[in-house]
Amino acid sequence: METKVTKSDEEWRRSLTPEKYAVLRQAGTEHPFTGELLHNKADGTYHCGACGAELFSSQAKYDSGSGWPSFTEPAEADNVQLIEDWSHGMHRTEVRCASCGSHLGHVFDDGPGPTGQRYCMNSLALDFQAGDTSGTEAR
Ligand code: FE
């Protein structure tokens, strides 16, 4: 899938807070147990903190105990991009927003439920919109 939202590094730097820029555009990781959305249990949808694309439903969110917001699956498989990541001496699967290419977190195969997946996301990479989760892009 091609990236739809393209901005220069300077544009991203201007449009994001330094904290969000470090995670979304520099693949940083927030400190565990610090994210505003970690304990958010409200109904709604989680969107890319950079471009606003819908990424996760609150229905897929669960408490993994890892210290980062965790989801069993994305709202739409096509909305995220999975990339092999060999950085920091580990072999992981990086998760990026398919619309803008921003870094969101990693996915691990130690999750619960039918998918067995744990989408381990940075709270700083997500924007939460409260509301109905039964339809797509519900307002
Ligand atoms: Fe995005």
Side-chain angles (χ1 to χ4, degrees), residues 77-99:
D78 283 352
N79 293 6
V80 295
Q81 230 178 2
L82 304 182
I83 294 166
E84 211 174 359
D85 175 10
W86 292 91
S87 69
H88 304 290
M90 291 178 272
H91 181 206
R92 297 177 293 172
T93 303
E94 181 190 3
V95 182
R96 289 191 198 170
C97 171
S99 294

Side-chain angles (χ1 to χ4, degrees), residues 5 12 24 48-53 55 97-102 104:
V5 179
W12 283 123
L24 287 156
C48 174
C51 77
L55 298 173
C97 171
S99 294
C100 73
S102 291
L104 305 169

Side-chain angles (χ1 to χ4, degrees), residues 37-43 46 58 61 63 128:
L37 296 171
L38 176 59
H39 298 299
N40 182 32
K41 289 184 170 60
D43 287 340
Y46 292 81
S58 58
K61 193 171 188 286
D63 182 6
F128 177 69

Side-chain angles (χ1 to χ4, degrees), residues 10-90:
E10 189 50 42
E11 286 172 310
W12 283 123
R13 209 181 271 272
R14 271 201 305 264
S15 63
L16 299 169
T17 65
E19 293 77 20
K20 283 181 168 269
Y21 176 85
V23 171
L24 287 156
R25 302 307 305 176
Q26 297 184 306
T29 300
E30 70 196 11
H31 292 294
F33 300 103
T34 62
E36 272 179 38
L37 296 171
L38 176 59
H39 298 299
N40 182 32
K41 289 184 170 60
D43 287 340
T45 49
Y46 292 81
H47 296 250
C48 174
C51 77
E54 185 176 345
L55 298 173
F56 297 99
S57 162
S58 58
Q59 291 171 353
K61 193 171 188 286
Y62 74 103
D63 182 6
S64 68
S66 68
W68 291 280
S70 301
F71 302 85
T72 54
E73 60 185 357
E76 299 284 344
D78 283 352
N79 293 6
V80 295
Q81 230 178 2
L82 304 182
I83 294 166
E84 211 174 359
D85 175 10
W86 292 91
S87 69
H88 304 290
M90 291 178 272

